[in-house]
Amino acid sequence: MLSKYPLSDVEKAFLAESGVEKISTLIPYLMVDNFPKLGLLTACRFLEWVAANPQGVISLPTGKTPEFFIKWTQYLLENWESKKGKEIREKYGLGAIKKPVLKDLTFVQIDEFYPISSKQHNSFFDYVNKFYINGFGLSKENAILINSDEIPLAEGKHFSEIFPDLKVDLSLRFRDPINELEKLQQKSIYLIDQWCGDYEQRIRDKGGIGLFLGGIGPDGHIAFNTRGSHLFSVTRLTETNFETQAVAAGDLGGIEVSANRLVITIGLDTIVYNKDAVGIIIAAGEAKAGIVKDSLETPMNNVYPATVLQKLQNGRFYLTKGAAVKLTDSMDAYYQQGEWTFEKTERAVIDLCKKLNKYGHRLKIEDLKADRYCKLIPGLSEDTVNQVMKSVEGKLAKGLEQETDQVVLHTGPHHDDISLGILPHITNQLHEPSNEAHFSVLTSGFTAVTNTFVIDTLLHTKKLLDEGKIQMVNYDDFFQVGYSLKTDKDVYHYLTNVASENADARKRGLAHRVVRALVIIWEIKNKTQLRETINDVISILRNSYDGEKNPSKIQKLKGMIREFEEELVWAHFGVQVKNVHHLRLGFYTGDIFTEQPDKTRDVEPIVEMFRKIKPTKISLTLDPEGSGPDTHYKVLQATAAAVKKWGEEHDTSQLRIIGYRNVWFKFEPHEANVIVPVSLGDMSVMEDSFANCYLSQVNASFPSYSHNGKFSTVAKRTWVGQLNDIQLLLGKNYFYLHERAKVRASHGLIFFRDMNVDEFLATARELEKSIEGML
């Protein structure tokens, strides 16, 4: 495969470093260790191409995926002749190349939401201008861009007049309009279609795109060419599917907006029109592993749009190890290289059960010998499956152990991460009175609260104030000190009204906490000022577009709403407010690219919390690669640094670290060493507490691409799926005939990894190393 497709000098250098010995996919790929390194590879290849094509046509991605591509490109250009810059260039095939000049390139915008004002910071037009035209010093005159404000519509009107609700009904292409507005809309849609055709022609007049760099969506989309897009598709106005809308929800301020917004996108044929083009798809993280495998190992078809790159001799996928983990090449390398571990035996046997849909006790030695990977197990025998079954039973036994005399600190990057990850395990700990439990969410999580939710909450708060139903504001000392007292009482009263199913009283409980938050943030001194502040915040939010970055005080208000929600969840089990710690780490800013954690600003608060609580166990989300929600791996970095620092002043030899995953990532059975049974009762508690407490999340404005609804449902499905995998190995009898009621009642399973400090730091160190020396 590699000889058939000649590699550039940069690609040869990265291939040699990767140690990949075989590439058998239909499109060649390069693999790197982590997300930041993926940016370095992409930046080096981009600059290598530009040096050879200074007047070429380029098309580059938007969103979070290209963060490190952009940073590394700028770093290398600024440090081309510095000692560090030269070292990087020499190492990765750029040593002999003169510094590229970017100003004569033609930039082609890949896609855009429609309609969206080009002035909005969450428009791709704004992104392209900020990070590429200005950031890379490209020519504005040469650029071929999608500016919704300038696309001509009927009677010369603006899209806000033609589509006042910002919804475009594409059925007007094929049906008669029923009123004057629809007549204008139909004419406008035809004009947009004409504009898209002209856009396509402008690209082709330039000879097509010379270098295309794009990400890949969960459904396999490249640009906005979603699953099912025609392989000969061109630039067009089109609808998207749910997976794409869910991913776009973060950009547009919620699924409510992204579900109703169309897109203008270049087509699959646009990308491959120039047969000499370099077409690169970048993908990071295990969440992308399935679609990457399908896109690389499936013959060209419209179900997997990225297969169109098979048309290009220079078509490539650049992947992190996580994104490549399901490729047949990666599986072969995993089993065939390095020492054989029992983990490999576990993985091979459990995967065989799934492949054959056979229970473990029904697997025959012939089945194992006929399997591509099981046949490699050293000392393969009739007893091999039995050994795996015993190992998994041991993990279940660990999950049933009753912990005592522990000080447990559960941490999460966002609110609801802990609950969605390991709530049934936590309830086991909380039932034991000798355990002390603390909970800490490390960021304020304000980006998950929509403007609409805050407006509705403040309007209701104002109504209650008018009706005299928030009596605490009448106390003489409320605005001096009273606002900071009795926060546990807020929580208790709220949950009492959950029990009594009094929805109005619950809203009143939220309003009480919102009033306290307003007083704290705006330093309010009296009732008049309180009303004025509420009106001001409502006005600011009503005049903001969805997805706009809020002023810092409103960010703080949204964050404090989420913090109240977290306190409510743990109060279900009697945990006091003082044991729920809100760290609000400073790297979390709501910008498209958040900063890396800072040792003083972000690590020290975690160390201080450790000093105060002195935990014997710490739980955290274990995202082993810099991908997925970027908050996850940044929190992991900060926590690892804090554990290391605390270890310099405190004996951490007995400290245990619990690594869990939730709706974004999941462990495979061989990766976990503890398995916890989950009953229907556990699932109900999790679902109920989520629905009753995470009020800002119930409408699922920022859903998982795998489910159009609450995250709690996604978590439940994960637990059920994990039980199915283990039941296939152990048999259903093992569960419903088990001597322990907890196992008999299990209808789901939680997987996690229990580590000592050294094991945890070794896991986290690779990511830490990958980001050291960045910029």
Side-chain angles (χ1 to χ4, degrees):
M1 172 57 83
L2 291 179
S3 58
K4 183 183 171 187
Y5 294 95
L7 300 181
S8 75
D9 289 343
V10 165
E11 290 177 323
K12 286 174 186 171
F14 276 93
L15 178 65
E17 185 179 77
S18 72
V20 171
E21 296 175 2
K22 180 185 74 170
I23 295 180
S24 63
T25 49
L26 296 171
I27 302 167
Y29 64 89
L30 288 173
M31 187 172 72
V32 294
D33 286 344
N34 48 60
F35 193 31
K37 193 71 167 279
L38 184 66
L40 176 61
L41 161 60
T42 313
C44 289
R45 180 67 184 106
F46 169 69
L47 292 171
E48 179 185 42
W49 186 88
V50 172
N53 301 273
Q55 294 182 308
V57 180
I58 61 171
S59 203
L60 305 176
T62 51
K64 287 184 180 290
T65 304
E67 174 181 3
F68 288 105
F69 160 67
I70 291 168
K71 287 178 176 175
W72 272 118
T73 299
Q74 290 173 329
Y75 179 84
L76 288 168
L77 287 171
E78 289 164 11
N79 294 274
W80 198 260
E81 297 299 337
S82 74
K83 184 172 180 289
K84 177 82 188 291
K86 282 182 178 175
E87 282 174 8
I88 293 170
R89 290 197 294 113
E90 290 289 342
K91 186 175 180 181
Y92 294 117
L94 291 172
I97 289 177
K98 282 179 64 178
K99 182 179 176 181
V101 176
L102 277 61
K103 67 179 179 62
D104 295 322
L105 294 167
T106 295
F107 185 94
V108 173
Q109 186 174 334
I110 294 175
D111 47 25
E112 181 60 281
F113 301 112
Y114 188 86
I116 190 169
S117 170
S118 60
K119 297 178 184 66
Q120 291 186 200
H121 90 279
N122 56 347
S123 70
F124 292 155
F125 179 87
D126 181 83
Y127 183 109
V128 162
N129 276 279
K130 181 177 179 181
F131 293 111
Y132 294 136
I133 306 296
N134 298 327
F136 284 6
L138 303 179
S139 162
K140 270 189 183 170
E141 292 69 39
N142 286 355
I144 300 174
L145 303 178
I146 306 170
N147 183 336
S148 294
D149 291 312
E150 293 180 359
I151 296 174
L153 303 177
E155 298 181 2
K157 293 180 183 288
H158 186 257
F159 67 71
S160 56
E161 298 173 272
I162 301 288
F163 307 109
D165 57 0
L166 302 181
K167 292 180 185 176
V168 181
D169 181 0
L170 290 184
S171 72
L172 283 166
R173 278 181 178 147
F174 316 111
R175 66 173 175 84
D176 291 335
I178 58 172
N179 54 40
E180 289 305 310
L181 180 59
E182 281 203 348
K183 283 180 186 175
L184 288 175
Q185 289 175 340
Q186 186 183 64
K187 282 182 189 172
S188 296
I189 289 168
Y190 293 151
L191 284 168
I192 297 167
D193 290 341
Q194 177 64 41
W195 183 92
C196 289
D198 294 343
Y199 190 87
E200 181 77 20
Q201 192 60 51
R202 288 172 69 194
I203 297 169
R204 297 192 177 208
D205 287 347
K206 292 272 187 180
I209 295 166
L211 182 139
F212 172 84
L213 176 62
I216 187 166
D219 69 321
H221 73 251
I222 55 173
F224 272 127
N225 295 285
T226 55
R227 185 179 54 247
S229 294
H230 199 289
L231 291 172
F232 291 92
S233 55
V234 293
T235 304
R236 64 205 184 280
L237 175 69
T238 185
E239 295 170 328
T240 56
N241 54 15
F242 170 73
E243 295 101 319
T244 306
Q245 292 159 8
V247 172
D251 293 317
L252 292 178
I255 191 79
E256 302 88 346
V257 182
S258 60
N260 291 305
R261 201 64 61 94
L262 300 189
V263 293
I264 292 173
T265 180
I266 62 174
L268 294 175
D269 199 53
T270 319
I271 294 168
V272 300
Y273 172 74
N274 177 350
K275 297 309 171 199
D276 296 322
V278 170
I280 300 168
I281 300 294
I282 52 177
E286 291 175 34
K288 295 282 174 72
I291 193 61
V292 164
K293 176 181 171 68
D294 290 333
S295 299
L296 284 176
E297 297 184 359
T298 307
M300 202 178 341
N301 72 74
N302 65 339
V303 178
Y304 302 114
T307 58
V308 78
L309 261 62
Q310 291 173 32
K311 291 185 177 185
L312 296 178
Q313 188 175 29
N314 294 310
R316 301 283 188 272
F317 268 58
Y318 290 172
L319 308 169
T320 63
K321 278 185 177 172
V325 77
K326 290 186 179 177
L327 293 177
T328 303
D329 291 343
S330 296
M331 297 288 286
D332 286 351
Y334 170 80
Y335 284 110
Q336 293 166 6
Q337 296 172 14
E339 66 169 317
W340 189 276
T341 60
F342 189 73
E343 185 183 279
K344 292 184 181 182
T345 301
E346 273 191 326
R347 183 177 183 181
V349 170
I350 292 169
D351 283 352
L352 183 60
C353 287
K354 289 198 272 189
K355 270 186 261 182
L356 301 180
N357 197 27
K358 259 190 181 184
Y359 289 115
H361 62 272
R362 290 192 178 153
L363 283 180
K364 295 183 169 61
I365 189 72
E366 291 76 25
D367 294 325
L368 277 72
K369 286 178 177 175
D371 181 64
R372 183 180 184 124
Y373 303 128
C374 286
K375 67 182 180 185
L376 303 174
I377 297 171
L380 183 63
S381 72
E382 300 278 359
D383 194 45
T384 298
V385 176
N386 198 37
Q387 289 170 4
V388 172
M389 291 168 78
K390 280 183 178 168
S391 169
V392 171
E393 287 172 20
K395 296 178 184 185
L396 271 159
K398 277 189 188 173
L400 290 167
E401 286 173 6
Q402 184 62 62
E403 299 164 310
T404 57
D405 300 306
Q406 299 294 322
V407 179
V408 190
L409 171 60
H410 292 292
T411 73
H414 308 94
H415 305 82
D416 72 26
D417 276 331
I418 306 170
S419 172
L420 295 170
I422 48 171
L423 180 61
H425 175 60
I426 293 169
T427 56
N428 294 342
Q429 294 172 329
L430 291 170
H431 288 152
E432 168 52 49
S434 68
N435 292 333
E436 179 186 326
H438 293 259
F439 300 86
S440 179
V441 178
L442 303 189
T443 70
S444 80
F446 58 80
T447 58
V449 183
T450 63
N451 291 351
T452 303
F453 181 84
V454 178
I455 291 168
D456 290 347
T457 300
L458 289 176
L459 287 171
H460 190 70
T461 301
K462 196 162 72 162
K463 177 173 174 284
L464 292 173
L465 282 168
D466 291 343
E467 294 169 356
K469 289 182 179 173
I470 301 183
Q471 292 150 349
M472 62 184 183
V473 298
N474 298 320
Y475 298 154
D476 291 341
D477 66 346
F478 176 75
F479 292 98
Q480 286 71 50
V481 69
Y483 65 87
S484 64
L485 306 175
K486 297 187 178 178
T487 49
D488 275 306
K489 189 178 176 186
D490 286 349
V491 170
Y492 186 79
H493 280 192
Y494 181 97
L495 293 181
T496 297
N497 289 299
V498 168
S500 63
E501 300 184 5
N502 187 334
D504 287 341
R506 286 206 301 274
K507 282 187 181 175
R508 187 174 159 216
L510 174 62
H512 269 76
R513 181 56 71 92
V514 165
V515 167
R516 293 184 194 277
L518 290 165
V519 172
I520 291 166
I521 298 164
W522 277 271
E523 299 179 357
I524 292 168
K525 300 302 180 195
N526 53 56
K527 286 190 278 188
T528 304
Q529 200 182 343
L530 175 62
R531 287 171 192 279
E532 288 170 354
T533 303
I534 290 172
N535 288 333
D536 286 347
V537 174
I538 291 170
S539 175
I540 290 167
L541 291 177
R542 278 181 170 161
N543 289 301
S544 301
Y545 56 80
D546 290 306
E548 183 174 357
K549 185 178 177 181
N550 298 130
S552 61
K553 286 186 175 180
I554 294 179
Q555 287 181 347
K556 193 169 182 183
L557 175 64
K558 287 183 171 184
M560 289 179 80
I561 289 171
R562 295 237 65 195
E563 289 166 358
F564 177 55
E565 293 174 345
E566 195 72 14
E567 290 168 10
L568 291 172
V569 170
W570 304 118
H572 270 68
F573 310 99
V575 176
Q576 292 181 289
V577 168
K578 67 182 176 64
N579 280 25
V580 183
H581 310 272
H582 310 298
L583 257 58
R584 306 175 187 170
L585 296 186
F587 76 80
Y588 186 85
T589 58
D591 294 314
I592 181 79
F593 302 142
T594 55
E595 300 170 39
Q596 294 302 319
D598 175 83
K599 282 190 165 54
T600 305
R601 180 194 62 198
D602 299 314
V603 175
E604 193 55 40
I606 306 175
V607 178
E608 190 52 46
M609 181 170 65
F610 292 165
R611 290 182 186 127
K612 184 176 161 191
I613 295 169
K614 294 187 173 54
T616 58
K617 283 195 174 212
I618 298 170
S619 77
L620 45 82
T621 51
L622 193 64
D623 172 2
E625 182 183 288
S627 57
D630 62 349
T631 307
H632 281 224
Y633 76 84
K634 289 175 180 175
V635 161
L636 178 67
Q637 277 178 266
T639 308
V643 167
K644 198 172 176 183
K645 187 172 181 186
W646 191 44
E648 293 167 5
E649 60 189 64
H650 177 85
D651 179 11
T652 55
S653 60
Q654 300 303 306
L655 177 66
R656 304 300 299 180
I657 309 290
I658 304 301
Y660 66 88
R661 295 185 180 177
N662 51 37
V663 297
W664 299 110
F665 295 92
K666 64 179 186 175
F667 284 117
E668 295 299 324
H670 66 275
E671 295 177 301
N673 58 12
V674 182
I675 298 177
V676 178
V678 180
S679 68
L680 285 174
D682 292 328
M683 292 181 195
S684 295
V685 168
M686 193 267 294
E687 287 261 45
D688 288 350
S689 61
F690 191 96
N692 288 320
C693 301
Y694 293 120
L695 296 176
S696 64
Q697 307 306 300
V698 172
N699 290 334
S701 293
F702 304 96
S704 161
Y705 55 79
S706 65
H707 173 63
N708 189 2
K710 303 193 300 290
F711 278 131
S712 52
T713 307
V714 183
K716 193 167 77 169
R717 287 178 180 176
T718 301
W719 298 345
V720 172
Q722 290 174 170
L723 173 70
N724 291 341
D725 288 350
I726 298 303
Q727 271 189 344
L728 205 47
L729 175 72
L730 298 181
K732 291 186 178 176
N733 289 10
Y734 174 85
F735 287 90
Y736 70 77
L737 296 177
H738 200 277
E739 61 184 22
R740 293 281 297 270
K742 184 76 180 167
V743 179
R744 293 196 300 273
S746 57
H747 290 277
L749 295 175
I750 287 172
F751 297 164
F752 63 79
R753 196 184 299 164
D754 185 330
M755 300 166 282
N756 62 31
V757 168
D758 290 341
E759 289 167 333
F760 165 61
L761 291 178
T763 302
R765 197 170 290 129
E766 287 309 306
L767 176 65
E768 188 185 6
K769 274 197 288 190
S770 74
I771 295 176
E772 280 173 6
M774 262 293 297
L775 314 187

